[in-house]
Amino acid sequence: MASLTLRNVRKRYEAAEVIHGVDLDIEDGEFVVFVGPSGCGKSTLLRMIAGLEEISDGSVSIGETEVNEVAASKRGVAMVFQTYALYPHMTVYKNMAFGLKQAKTPADEIDRRVRAAADILQITDYLDRSPRHLSGGQRQRVAIGRAIVRDPKVFLFDEPLSNLDAALRVQTRLEIARLHERLKTTMIYVTHDQVEAMTLADKIVVLRDGVIEQVGSPIALYEKPQNAFVAQFIGSPKMNFFAASDLSKKAAKVLKTDLTDDMQIGLRPEHMQVCKAADAVVTGTLELVENLGEVALVHLITDTGASFIAKTEKPPKEAKGEAISFTIAPELAHYFDKDSGQRLEG
Amino acid sequence: MNNRTIARLLQTPAVLLLLVWMLVPLGLTLYFSFLRYVLNSLRKPEWTVPQLSNWRGFGNYEYVLYKSKDFWFAIQNSLLIVGSILVITVVLGLAIAILVNRSFPGRGIVRVLLISPFFVMPAVNAVLWINMILDPVLGLNGLAIEGLNHLVAGLKDFPILGHFFALWPELEPISFRATQTSAYAVIMMVAWQWTPFAVLIFMTSLQSEDQQQKEAALLDGASAWAQFVYLTIPHLARPIAIVVMIQSIFHLSLYAEIEIVSRGNGNKNLPYLIGEFTSNNIGAASATGIFAVILANIVAIFLLRMVGKNLVD
């Protein structure tokens, strides 16, 4: 178990810099999720921590030790890969024992640790099978088991669920959460899926183009996104953005704010409530309704051409082409600078 | 008529042609192997025509097995040549494939050069090797030995150490056309020609190796050697089996190299023996041919088991 410190970490491939100076503190036992769109550098950052990519600049420390020059196998980290990367010619048991064997661990110790890990993951029945004969979910467990056996200080997960089908993904997500509960080891988890990030993380790190956009607890990111990018990335469906001109004349009064033209107003679909036309913050023409049963996603467009989504409990009675008005509690509205995208407090 | 029947019907001409192609020669060989049949006989001119009245039963087989001195030698030699070539090409091919699998400047050219021996005709290959490389006087072999002898002669004049070198005998170049060495000459030249084939197959297979597995092994603390033994070799099991199988088929029927190196002097395999019999005794040649078919089948069964197991896995 160990904390992790990143200081001004950079990654360059020849001329191109892909990670532009990342500073991050991860506490002992924390579950940290790196999230961001593809190509944001989250996997590269993880691989730099693992020792699979060289660190061009800055320092990575695990515990008190700087590990920049430490070989991957000596860093005390274990990684679960997206493609599982199981050794195809070895049985499940041998897959899990391989690392310990390379470290010249005594055979009875290997056996004890492999069986303990298999027990935790409920794969004891498959120990003699080859990975080829396992389902995707079982392979994923073996990959996790291979990591557990090494008793690492830090677990690294590189999009571990993206090769699983939807139902299995939810189940495995729960299992990973339970595993963290049980082992209390520091875990770093990379994903592009904000739902995984929200449900698993103690702390989310949102990355874009090799820069950290915001670090915080899931709820902090949801309630107080530091900029428009984070605001849109966290939450599903995405937060709606409006210019002041898209809103109704009464909006400033309802929201109790002065609305200016260099401002973006962010309203989350789930916070919007249907109201009378007279009280409207924003009014839109109904375009499409996606009825999910428990809720309905209502797609609308304002007179000024801004499209937005509202999440309502029941599908609206209005027909396509008719207008619906929405209001929102003033404390649930977000304001961002139009040019920089930074949050405006007020 | 359902689709299956149509498919079968459409295949029929090709299958029939292949069957005729295979069965007619095999049948004739079998037939001749039971006859007294020679190309030229002044004493018994009736033997020069293949006819049932010349029936000899298993006489040709007995003759080949017990009376001709070269049969067992040819079988032994066939296996020696094929086995040696297989070991050399697989080991060397693996080493070279791994060496050129990393990126370095000029990799494309190096790869083309590596493959090029495979495009040399076997007979040309044999002529080049036996005359320009292995010849004890004019070839590299002779030149190298001569150079070494010169070097040692020069070192004899050295103070103190010179006494040590003075004890060295003068080296003699090996003549690869001799009875004892001609098989090794053939092994060398064919291995040189077929190593590129192994390199080619192994190289493509190495490129399909999963890099994440290697990274996982790296994190597991596996050394480069351990990665090679536990990941790369198992990954290459199938291509190795294929190289072994294809080469066995080709090298059991080597002929040109043996003919050019020593005209069978000290080095015969079954096809060469058949060739020698064919100069007059067709009956004995056919019987030897049947033995060759049996040998090839034994080898094929072993190979198919090996490869088949690999392909099923």
Side-chain angles (χ1 to χ4, degrees), chain A residues 223-245:
Chain A
E223 287 180 346
K224 271 207 163 173
Q226 282 305 308
N227 53 47
F229 175 76
V230 176
Q232 280 214 315
F233 199 80
I234 303 292
S236 171
K238 286 200 284 187
M239 183 188 278
N240 300 307
F241 282 121
F242 299 98
S245 57

Side-chain angles (χ1 to χ4, degrees), chain B residues 61-284:
Chain B
Y61 293 91
E62 273 170 37
Y63 169 76
V64 169
L65 275 179
Y66 302 119
K67 298 223 177 90
S68 75
K69 58 184 180 352
D70 283 336
F71 178 73
W72 290 108
F73 172 69
I75 288 201
Q76 212 181 351
N77 218 28
S78 289
L79 295 177
L80 169 78
I81 291 175
V82 173
S84 311
I85 293 171
L86 284 180
V87 172
I88 295 171
T89 51
V90 168
V91 171
L92 218 56
L94 211 54
I96 294 173
I98 288 166
L99 203 65
V100 297
N101 194 37
R102 53 194 69 197
S103 61
F104 54 87
R107 184 166 75 159
I109 293 172
V110 168
R111 284 183 177 177
V112 172
L113 287 177
L114 270 174
I115 306 303
S116 56
F118 198 51
F119 300 118
V120 178
M121 274 184 275
V124 175
N125 174 31
V127 170
L128 286 177
W129 266 83
I130 203 64
N131 290 323
M132 297 182 73
I133 298 176
L134 297 178
D135 191 280
V137 181
L138 301 168
L140 283 180
N141 175 21
L143 296 180
I145 298 292
E146 200 184 351
L148 269 179
N149 281 337
H150 264 292
L151 187 71
V152 172
L155 288 172
K156 277 177 189 164
D157 298 335
F158 247 59
I160 309 167
L161 273 181
H163 292 292
F164 170 68
F165 286 110
L167 296 173
W168 280 28
E170 185 143 306
L171 297 170
E172 288 278 347
I174 301 166
S175 167
F176 280 94
R177 286 192 180 89
T179 313
Q180 298 86 350
T181 51
S182 51
Y184 301 114
V186 170
I187 290 170
M188 265 190 269
M189 57 186 65
V190 179
W192 176 79
Q193 183 160 42
W194 280 78
T195 299
F197 171 72
V199 171
L200 193 70
I201 302 251
F202 295 156
M203 211 160 59
T204 48
S205 184
L206 280 176
Q207 276 165 3
S208 71
E209 203 180 359
D210 184 349
Q211 290 308 307
Q212 279 202 339
Q213 279 172 22
K214 294 198 137 183
E215 289 180 347
L218 198 72
L219 281 170
D220 266 344
S223 61
W225 177 248
Q227 285 180 35
F228 177 71
V229 172
Y230 293 109
L231 295 179
T232 308
I233 291 283
H235 175 73
L236 290 178
R238 190 176 301 181
I240 288 175
I242 288 169
V243 165
V244 166
M245 185 172 80
I246 292 181
Q247 289 208 75
S248 305
I249 294 166
F250 273 81
H251 300 333
L252 273 175
S253 60
L254 278 182
Y255 191 90
E257 289 88 344
I258 291 170
E259 167 73 18
I260 287 164
V261 168
S262 67
R263 295 190 178 273
N265 173 21
N267 180 25
K268 283 185 185 55
N269 61 0
L270 277 182
Y272 198 85
L273 191 66
I274 295 170
E276 283 188 342
F277 281 135
T278 317
S279 62
N280 195 26
N281 191 345
I282 302 293

Side-chain angles (χ1 to χ4, degrees), chain A residues 47 73 79 83 87-89 150, chain B residues 212-213 215 217 219-221 234:
Chain A
R47 291 166 58 83
S73 58
M79 188 153 165
T83 59
Y87 311 129
H89 311 282
R150 298 185 52 220
Chain B
Q212 279 202 339
Q213 279 172 22
E215 289 180 347
L219 281 170
D220 266 344

Side-chain angles (χ1 to χ4, degrees), chain A residues 142-163:
Chain A
V142 175
I144 294 172
R146 193 170 62 181
I148 293 178
V149 161
R150 298 185 52 220
D151 197 13
K153 289 186 263 185
V154 182
F155 277 100
L156 307 174
F157 293 91
D158 188 6
E159 308 220 12
L161 305 186
S162 44
N163 281 10

